[in-house]
Amino acid sequence: MADSAEGRPSVIGFLAAREGPEKIEEAFSELLAHAKDTALEPRGVYGSLFVHFDRASREDPAFSALRDLLRSHIFRCWPLAAGEKIFGQSLTSRRVHSVATASEETGVGQALLNDLLTEAGALEPGDPRGARQQTFELAPFAQLLTDIPTWVGPIEMQKAIGATRAELRALVDDNVLAPRSNLTKVKSPWSAVDGTAFLERMMSMSQRRVSPSEKGWISLQAARNHSRRSLSEILKAVEIKKLTMGQLEGDGGYHSLVVMKAELATLNRDEQVESKARDLVPAAAFGREIGLRGKDSFLSFVSDGHSPSQKAPHPVTGQVFYYLSLEDIAAFRSSFVTPSMMTTETGAHRNTVVAALTSHRIERFTPGGKDYGPIYLREAAQPALADLRR
């Protein structure tokens, strides 16, 4: 294509003069888009035009404008390393990577790297082109490429933050910590840097040292299980000084962090008093009841107006919260379902419920792209519910 009549320098130069640089850039991009994966260098794509500028006309001022256009295009679109020269000028720093060049530099296999870059938005899903043709701008993903080889597995992450397997799982389930990748094939999705930052933040929230002999203190994991509150809710209570968090002496890491059981009971009691006094259910409590333990996911759902609710002051503290009446709850249940609700309604195991939702390709309720957690339109979930009731 580059050696066709339209590809000859004189003709392209004429088109440039007639139609301007934008049309020439489009022509260059079209040549690149139709290049074969075996065309590993610009010479193989731009043919005689590249050879002409690289040899006979490298210094010819008559072709300077067109030569500069092609050089700029190549620097912007080709996965060239820093220092590579095009028409006598060197690229100061890499601008573009291909899956192949990124794999070579990071040591990560091409197939896995392709999936990670697609997950991050650097590549289009299902792109059939080869690893040398799939390119992406480096700048937005440079840190990702630097970090990927340093990621660690769950055991290493547990050690980094001083947590048990169950504690790490709970931190993930409650949206306190997240792996860098959610791909199941990635065996080392965790950033130890994230773990260190998280642990430093937790330690900064600790208000005192606690002797192991002191009574009335429980671990964060035990507090989660005892109160049926998410860890994000518990940590929020610590931040606003409604819960005192300490660190066990002689111990370190996340597992050493403890809260006062009596204060936790007070939080629960206040919530119960509030509900009884007003015959209303706190939105946060109802969210936990239907299995939505993620950080503020159901509160966001309610505050965005997707289900009837009402605001009212807490009878003790006066702070304003969202509540649901029995009618509000009935309205929600008539329009939406969650996996926990489906388990209750059908008697099926949660894993079976999730499998049914996946099998029927039922998507979460995400108006405007906003994700409130595993909430589904009841009407959309009917095929899965029908299967589960059989």
Side-chain angles (χ1 to χ4, degrees):
M1 188 172 181
D3 291 315
S4 66
E6 288 190 358
R8 286 194 291 269
S10 58
V11 176
I12 290 185
F14 171 74
L15 290 174
R18 188 183 68 182
E19 301 188 32
E22 291 184 3
K23 290 294 182 181
I24 289 302
E25 176 63 31
E26 289 179 11
F28 291 156
S29 296
E30 185 176 351
L31 288 171
L32 182 58
H34 289 84
K36 296 181 179 180
D37 197 32
T38 53
L40 305 182
E41 298 179 355
R43 184 189 310 273
V45 173
Y46 308 105
S48 61
L49 181 65
F50 184 92
V51 174
H52 182 74
F53 288 154
D54 198 40
R55 296 178 183 174
S57 301
R58 178 182 289 190
E59 305 297 335
D60 190 337
F63 291 99
S64 61
L66 187 56
R67 185 173 57 244
D68 290 346
L69 278 174
L70 181 55
R71 181 193 298 112
S72 176
H73 166 82
I74 293 172
F75 279 168
R76 186 173 60 257
C77 299
W78 278 76
L80 303 178
E84 291 196 50
K85 289 186 176 183
I86 298 295
F87 311 146
Q89 289 188 16
S90 298
L91 181 64
T92 55
S93 60
R94 180 185 285 279
R95 300 180 188 177
V96 176
H97 253 314
S98 68
V99 173
T101 57
S103 175
E104 291 165 3
E105 289 194 6
T106 62
V108 179
Q110 291 183 3
L112 178 58
L113 191 57
N114 185 304
D115 289 340
L116 289 170
L117 289 168
T118 300
E119 181 186 35
L123 304 176
E124 289 293 328
D127 190 336
R129 295 179 300 168
R132 294 193 177 278
Q133 285 183 300
Q134 292 189 73
T135 58
F136 58 95
E137 184 183 356
L138 174 59
F141 305 100
Q143 192 60 52
L144 174 65
L145 293 178
T146 299
D147 291 345
I148 289 174
T150 71
W151 290 354
V152 299
I155 294 177
E156 290 85 351
M157 188 63 172
Q158 289 167 218
K159 293 178 180 178
I161 66 174
T164 65
R165 180 180 180 182
E167 286 171 335
L168 179 60
R169 183 71 260 166
L171 287 167
V172 174
D173 288 344
D174 291 355
N175 296 320
V176 178
L177 267 181
R180 290 294 184 93
S181 172
N182 291 313
L183 298 176
T184 56
K185 65 166 60 178
V186 179
K187 304 306 179 185
S188 299
W190 289 98
S191 167
V193 174
D194 291 347
T196 299
F198 166 74
L199 188 58
E200 289 177 353
R201 175 173 170 266
M202 291 296 97
M203 293 305 170
S204 71
M205 292 167 60
S206 175
Q207 295 162 280
R208 55 165 291 190
R209 301 288 287 178
V210 178
S211 169
S213 62
E214 285 189 57
K215 304 296 183 182
W217 294 85
I218 57 175
S219 70
L220 293 176
Q221 185 75 359
R224 176 184 189 261
N225 298 335
H226 180 75
S227 67
R228 299 189 66 184
R229 292 176 178 272
S230 69
L231 287 169
S232 59
E233 290 177 286
I234 293 170
L235 293 174
K236 181 65 176 178
V238 172
E239 287 181 335
I240 62 177
K241 309 301 183 184
K242 286 193 173 184
L243 270 181
T244 301
M245 186 167 74
Q247 182 184 6
L248 291 176
E249 294 177 349
D251 204 350
Y254 175 79
H255 188 69
S256 70
L257 296 172
V258 291
V259 293
M260 296 185 70
K261 192 172 182 179
E263 291 181 350
L264 192 64
T266 299
L267 282 178
N268 290 337
R269 185 168 59 251
D270 287 348
E271 192 172 86
Q272 292 168 2
V273 169
E274 170 188 9
S275 299
K276 292 178 181 178
R278 302 182 179 279
D279 195 25
L280 297 172
V281 177
F286 179 69
R288 293 194 296 274
E289 180 183 327
I290 59 174
L292 301 175
R293 302 182 67 162
K295 184 179 180 181
D296 297 335
S297 59
F298 187 67
L299 290 179
S300 295
F301 176 91
V302 170
S303 66
D304 287 347
H306 299 301
S307 185
S309 64
Q310 48 195 294
K311 291 182 180 180
H314 188 287
V316 177
T317 66
Q319 187 175 354
V320 176
F321 291 94
Y322 280 98
Y323 297 86
L324 276 69
S325 68
L326 295 180
E327 293 76 15
D328 295 337
I329 291 173
F332 173 85
R333 291 184 179 278
S334 69
S335 299
F336 300 94
V337 292
T338 67
S340 291
M341 289 169 60
M342 294 172 71
T343 294
T344 301
E345 292 179 20
T346 65
H349 189 277
R350 180 182 173 84
N351 290 345
T352 305
V353 169
V354 173
L357 290 167
T358 302
S359 174
H360 287 279
R361 298 182 179 178
I362 297 170
E363 301 291 338
R364 292 181 175 187
F365 177 69
T366 55
K370 187 170 183 179
D371 191 355
Y372 298 102
I375 301 176
Y376 303 82
L377 286 170
R378 180 174 286 276
E379 183 178 355
Q382 283 304 322
L385 283 166
D387 277 359
L388 294 168
R389 289 186 175 116
R390 288 174 185 167

